[in-house]
């Protein structure tokens, strides 16, 4: 079982319009609603890959009710499996995120609400649920931003509890929560190049990834956008690159990469196979209509064509 934690879950709303022009009125050609937040996206992709997955975090208000209802619907990728809902109820309302896709350019404009304030009592309830889930977990993913009311060292605390339970932990966040989380020695961190640069002060991805490892991360997988991912691990350094650039909605592509990395971890795949899966899933997600989904046919076609090359150390 893989546990994904989404402390700031969201209802993702995607609008598609023929062309996005500022200061004008638009007709929307299509609207999609999906359960969102990074960890929920990860969980839906993992379920589509056939892994037993449990989602936890917080959900509240009418938006939270809609999110939970959608979470119980069919998973993406042609699979009938879906994540198990272990979200903790809160009094505040779950946030919404809005993506507007310009069908002419393929670009996406994203608007993210901050999220509800979580009380200390609600955080304590979540910690108790998290401890119970760790008992049967093969891995845990800690993903996304922190909602108001949650202390900045929350992910570091969750990593330490996972380590105490002997459960590998992956961290995907940014800013101060990332810095403190890395110091708690997670098994994997997956920042993008900008987040990694802000953490380490270096704009050179390999140097920055190596620095993040020295700060405590066991392995660092840096997202390089259309150039794929760079992995600095105890077993070596690799870069995995998609066969060609694609146009579409990039929202959730990084979350699909996390799902690929986690599934490869629990299946004990070698690093090159994990990285190829992560890049193929991320690319197939750009081609899908909404976050938390991927184009299954594109994924199968892309997987053997991802180039994984070993890199010299820093």
């Amino acid at each position: 079982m893989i546990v994904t934690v989404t402390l700031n879950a969201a209802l993702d709303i995607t609008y598609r319009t023929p062309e996005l022009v500022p200061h004008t009125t638009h007709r929307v050609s299509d609207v999609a609603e999906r359960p969102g937040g990074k960890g929920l996206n990860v969980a839906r992709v993992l379920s589509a890959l056939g892994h037993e997955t449990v989602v936890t975090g917080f959900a509240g208000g009418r938006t939270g009710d809609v999110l939970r209802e959608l979470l119980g619907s069919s998973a993406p990728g042609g699979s009938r499996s879906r994540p198990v809902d272990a979200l903790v109820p809160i009094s505040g309302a779950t946030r919404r995120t809005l993506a507007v896709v310009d069908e002419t350019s393929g670009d996406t404009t994203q608007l993210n609400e901050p999220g509800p304030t979580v009380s200390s009592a609600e955080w304590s309830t979540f910690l108790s649920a998290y401890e119970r889930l760790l008992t049967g977990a093969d891995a845990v993913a800690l993903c996304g931003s922190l909602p108001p009311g949650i202390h900045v060292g929350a992910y570091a605390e969750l990593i330490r509890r996972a380590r105490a339970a002997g459960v590998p932990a992956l961290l995907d966040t940014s800013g101060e929560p990332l810095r403190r989380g890395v110091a708690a020695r997670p098994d994997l961190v997956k920042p993008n190049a900008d987040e990694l640069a802000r953490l380490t002060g270096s704009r050179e991805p390999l140097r920055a990834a190596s620095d993040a490892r020295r700060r405590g991360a066991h392995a660092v997988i840096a997202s390089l956008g259309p150039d794929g991912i760079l992995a600095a691990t105890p077993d070596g350094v690799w870069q995995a690159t998609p066969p060609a650039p694609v146009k579409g909605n990039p929202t959730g592509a990084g979350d699909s990469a996390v799902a690929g990395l986690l599934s490869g971890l629990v299946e004990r795949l070698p690093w090159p196979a994990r990285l190829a899966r992560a890049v193929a899933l991320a690319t197939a997600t750009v081609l899908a209509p909404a976050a938390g989904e991927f184009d299954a046919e594109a994924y199968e076609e892309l997987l053997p064509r991802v180039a994984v090359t070993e890199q010299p150390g820093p």
Side-chain angles (χ1 to χ4, degrees):
M1 175 184 74
I2 300 174
V3 177
T4 73
V5 175
T6 311
L7 297 178
N8 206 10
L11 178 64
D12 282 346
I13 304 168
T14 302
Y15 289 163
R16 304 184 73 88
T17 186
E19 186 176 11
L20 183 62
V21 181
H23 315 300
T24 64
T25 300
H26 298 80
R27 288 192 178 275
V28 175
S29 58
D30 183 67
V31 181
E33 288 186 335
R34 298 290 186 275
K38 295 178 74 63
L40 269 71
N41 292 338
V42 171
R44 295 177 68 233
V45 174
L46 283 168
S47 290
L49 293 172
H51 286 273
E52 180 186 359
T53 311
V54 177
V55 298
T56 190
F58 300 106
R62 293 179 62 184
T63 309
D65 292 341
V66 174
L67 182 149
R68 300 183 87 154
E69 180 181 347
L70 292 171
L71 187 62
S73 63
S74 297
S79 170
R80 293 184 179 180
S81 62
R82 52 186 176 265
V84 175
D85 179 356
L87 294 165
V88 174
I90 56 173
S91 59
T94 295
R95 67 189 178 122
R96 296 162 297 181
T97 65
L98 177 65
V100 182
V101 180
D102 183 325
E103 295 177 323
T104 300
S105 67
D107 293 335
T108 300
T109 299
Q110 189 85 17
L111 302 173
N112 296 334
E113 295 179 358
T117 298
V118 177
S119 71
S120 57
E122 289 165 341
W123 175 245
S124 296
T125 300
F126 165 78
L127 287 177
S128 297
Y130 179 72
E131 291 276 7
R132 290 192 297 270
L133 289 171
L134 287 176
T135 302
D138 298 310
V140 61
L142 309 169
C143 303
S145 60
L146 298 177
I150 299 296
H151 65 94
V152 73
Y155 283 135
E157 179 179 358
L158 299 183
I159 290 165
R160 287 191 291 268
R161 292 183 183 229
R163 288 181 57 82
V167 178
L170 182 151
L171 177 63
D172 184 10
T173 189
S174 61
E176 186 65 11
L178 174 62
R179 188 184 71 80
R180 297 199 186 193
V182 165
R185 298 162 55 203
D187 295 85
L188 290 153
V189 294
K190 197 213 70 63
N192 61 38
D194 287 340
E195 292 163 349
L196 192 57
R198 287 194 293 270
L199 172 68
T200 65
S202 175
R203 301 296 306 184
E204 201 287 306
L206 179 53
R207 186 183 302 276
S210 299
D211 186 2
R213 288 198 64 220
R214 287 191 292 270
R215 292 169 184 246
H218 189 66
V220 179
I221 294 83
S223 296
L224 306 178
D227 293 326
I229 57 178
L230 177 74
T233 81
D235 301 320
V237 178
W238 290 270
Q239 183 167 349
T241 309
V246 296
K247 285 189 175 183
N249 181 5
T251 306
D255 306 330
S256 292
V258 168
L261 294 168
L262 277 176
S263 62
L265 184 153
V266 300
E267 293 172 30
R268 302 183 183 275
L269 297 180
W271 274 108
R274 299 187 205 182
L275 301 175
R277 180 181 290 181
V279 168
L281 282 169
T283 306
T285 296
V286 174
L287 299 170
E293 300 184 0
F294 63 93
D295 185 317
E297 291 185 5
Y299 167 65
E300 295 294 341
E301 191 271 333
L302 286 162
L303 183 59
R305 299 172 55 214
V306 174
V308 182
T309 56
E310 192 162 10
Q311 305 292 307

